[in-house]
Amino acid sequence: MRCALVQLFAIVVCVVLFDVVLLDRTARQPCPTTESLQDDLIELAGRLPEARTTKLLTIGRAYGTDKVTRHAYHRPYGLFLDRPPQKILEIGISQGASIKTWLAYFPEAEVHGMDLHDSRRNWGIADGRFQKWIGSMTNRTFLRWFVQQHGQTFDLIIDDGARNSNQVAWEELFGPALRDGGMYIIEDVGEGYQKNGPKVDATTQVAKQWIDVIHSQYGGQKRATSPYLTGIGADEDIEGMWVSDQFILLRKRIGGPVRNALDS
């Protein structure tokens, strides 16, 4: 009986000492201030798709890019650009409004622009993070030279260039120039459906086969027959596709092909 009381007393003493130490450590930790909590909430709110969409819409309007003035691309961009890209390529600079928008929206990003026209123009862009490349998105030799200069370093590639020629740039850039997990976006694909648009919109026709490519791992699905998709490992590279009004997004797979679940 006496030994049991001694053991019980020892346990009580240990519990009391543990509580004292815990309270002491807690007391020494600074409590968050109202200002710090507000800053955390503002930062968290800024990561929400609605906040990203509103921010991109505001900046895009300020620079006059047709991404937001004519189209509503700020909606899918705001939804998917949850992590700031470090390196961006946009094909088709036009008046430079989109480039200026990306430079303002992603203040830490390196932004590259590719265009076919006048290499002496700077489009009024003086930011040192911008670099221009003059060449055709249908010239495979030029595109392959461009890839040799950069490798797989781009987090985001935006194709806003020549209509009905997107498949050449996609074939040369999606796998070789895009990081794993990166996004490849083709804009204005709806022009092939317009009355005065191209008679055959190769981009949308190939895009329909991307669904087959994505599911080709299951064997029973029809494989893509397009010459732009065969022989380049597209079924191993494409993780998923998202389509909205005149807008197609492809995400590159991370870490190679996914194992067929039916084989397990």
Side-chain angles (χ1 to χ4, degrees):
M1 182 67 179
R2 190 172 183 180
C3 291
L5 289 174
V6 171
Q7 291 176 351
L8 180 61
F9 178 77
I11 293 173
V12 171
V13 170
C14 289
V15 170
V16 171
L17 289 175
F18 176 79
D19 288 342
V20 169
V21 172
L22 182 62
L23 288 171
D24 179 64
R25 289 182 178 178
T26 304
R28 283 184 289 175
Q29 293 179 353
C31 294
T33 63
T34 303
E35 291 77 10
S36 64
L37 289 174
Q38 289 177 344
D39 292 340
D40 291 341
L41 289 174
I42 292 173
E43 181 181 356
L44 179 61
R47 297 177 185 174
L48 297 176
E50 295 82 1
R52 296 195 297 266
T53 298
T54 301
K55 180 180 177 181
L56 183 56
L57 176 61
T58 302
I59 295 175
R61 282 176 174 171
Y63 289 107
T65 174
D66 66 354
K67 283 178 169 52
V68 303
T69 59
R70 180 182 176 187
H71 307 287
Y73 297 155
H74 56 288
R75 294 173 181 170
Y77 277 119
L79 182 64
F80 286 99
L81 291 179
D82 53 341
R83 294 183 180 179
Q86 297 300 308
K87 193 171 181 180
I88 302 170
L89 168 65
E90 175 142 20
I91 302 172
I93 302 177
S94 186
Q95 302 302 313
S98 295
I99 297 293
K100 296 173 184 176
T101 297
W102 295 129
L103 288 168
Y105 188 77
F106 296 116
E108 303 297 326
E110 180 182 320
V111 181
H112 295 251
M114 184 183 293
D115 203 276
L116 181 61
H117 302 292
D118 197 356
S119 60
R120 293 170 295 177
R121 295 175 56 191
N122 282 323
W123 294 272
I125 303 171
D127 196 310
R129 293 177 294 127
F130 168 66
Q131 189 168 358
K132 62 183 179 182
W133 303 86
I134 305 302
S136 173
M137 62 181 290
T138 63
N139 186 327
R140 294 183 184 275
T141 301
F142 166 72
L143 293 175
R144 291 173 185 177
W145 172 84
F146 178 82
V147 170
Q148 289 178 351
Q149 309 306 307
H150 298 276
Q152 292 181 328
T153 57
F154 289 95
D155 304 292
L156 175 63
I157 298 178
I158 303 162
D159 185 344
D160 189 20
R163 307 296 172 257
N164 205 38
S165 301
N166 311 85
Q167 74 279 354
V168 177
W170 175 82
E171 182 175 344
E172 296 294 339
L173 297 177
F174 181 81
L178 198 62
R179 291 180 187 270
D180 287 0
M183 291 182 290
Y184 192 103
I185 293 169
I186 303 176
E187 298 180 353
D188 303 342
V189 294
E191 292 189 5
Y193 293 92
Q194 296 174 3
K195 185 176 181 180
N196 297 323
K199 293 182 179 180
V200 178
D201 188 352
T203 302
T204 54
Q205 294 302 317
V206 173
K208 293 173 184 177
Q209 296 191 43
W210 283 333
I211 299 175
D212 292 333
V213 170
I214 293 170
H215 294 90
S216 62
Q217 58 171 313
Y218 298 105
Q221 300 290 333
K222 175 184 176 183
R223 283 188 171 268
T225 58
S226 166
Y228 307 118
L229 294 176
T230 56
I232 59 174
D235 55 337
E236 297 182 357
D237 281 339
I238 300 176
E239 180 182 59
M241 179 174 72
W242 195 87
V243 180
S244 65
D245 187 9
Q246 301 201 63
F247 186 98
I248 297 177
L249 180 150
L250 291 168
R251 188 184 294 274
K252 188 176 180 182
R253 193 183 305 283
I254 298 176
V258 173
R259 185 171 179 237
N260 188 347
L262 300 181
D263 293 339
S264 59

